Amino acid sequence: MTENKKLLIWILIPFIYGLLPTTFMLVIPPLLSQLVFTVFWFWVGMKTPHLRGNNIKNFIIGNSIWLLSFALYLWQFVLLNDESRNMFLALISQYYMHSFLWSGTRLTLWFSGGLYGTTITIISYLSMLLVFSLGFLVGKIRSR
């Protein structure tokens, strides 16, 4: 299997994880999910600079589904009002960052003192990007 195919599989795993508990009503402890996916997403970030091709291109490919999902979320929950929202798009836009909800919730409580769904989701997405980026930087430094 080529490295690019592996990367595609790796970057689909957070979406699949977000889909499975919602579809099958599985209860996975949020802290456990956060720990496992933080390690996994950091590892994916570390592997990305080792792929053939331009590092910037690899970084963008590694975050392509993240970016698409985040843009879809912003469109559905920030730019549109409740009446205009497409429920299917609104639902699938939240699957990708599902494993990072614990950190989004904790950081939202820490900074705002309240729980706001849109804020939690945006911070969860940003936490995910931060973990991948740190892994990418560590992978790039190690490859030198």
Side-chain angles (χ1 to χ4, degrees), residues 3-5 8 13 19 24 26 34 50-51 55-56 70 72 74 99-100 102 109 118-119 122 126 128-129 141:
E3 291 295 317
N4 289 341
K5 287 181 184 177
L8 280 174
I13 289 174
L19 178 66
F24 298 110
L26 299 173
Q34 175 77 52
H50 300 286
L51 301 175
N55 279 331
I56 295 171
F70 187 53
L72 193 59
L74 291 176
S99 59
F100 281 80
W102 186 86
L109 276 172
T118 303
T119 307
I122 290 171
L126 295 176
M128 192 174 188
L129 179 63
I141 290 169

Side-chain angles (χ1 to χ4, degrees), residues 54-100:
N54 184 339
N55 279 331
I56 295 171
K57 179 182 171 188
N58 290 339
F59 183 84
I60 292 170
I61 291 171
N63 285 295
S64 59
I65 297 175
W66 176 92
L67 182 60
L68 179 63
S69 186
F70 187 53
L72 193 59
Y73 180 82
L74 291 176
W75 174 43
Q76 290 296 305
F77 287 94
V78 176
L79 298 176
L80 295 179
N81 58 23
D82 291 343
E83 297 84 34
S84 302
R85 192 171 294 145
N86 179 313
M87 294 312 287
F88 175 73
L89 294 178
L91 183 64
I92 65 168
S93 72
Q94 297 175 67
Y95 288 156
Y96 203 69
M97 61 76 218
H98 196 265
S99 59
F100 281 80

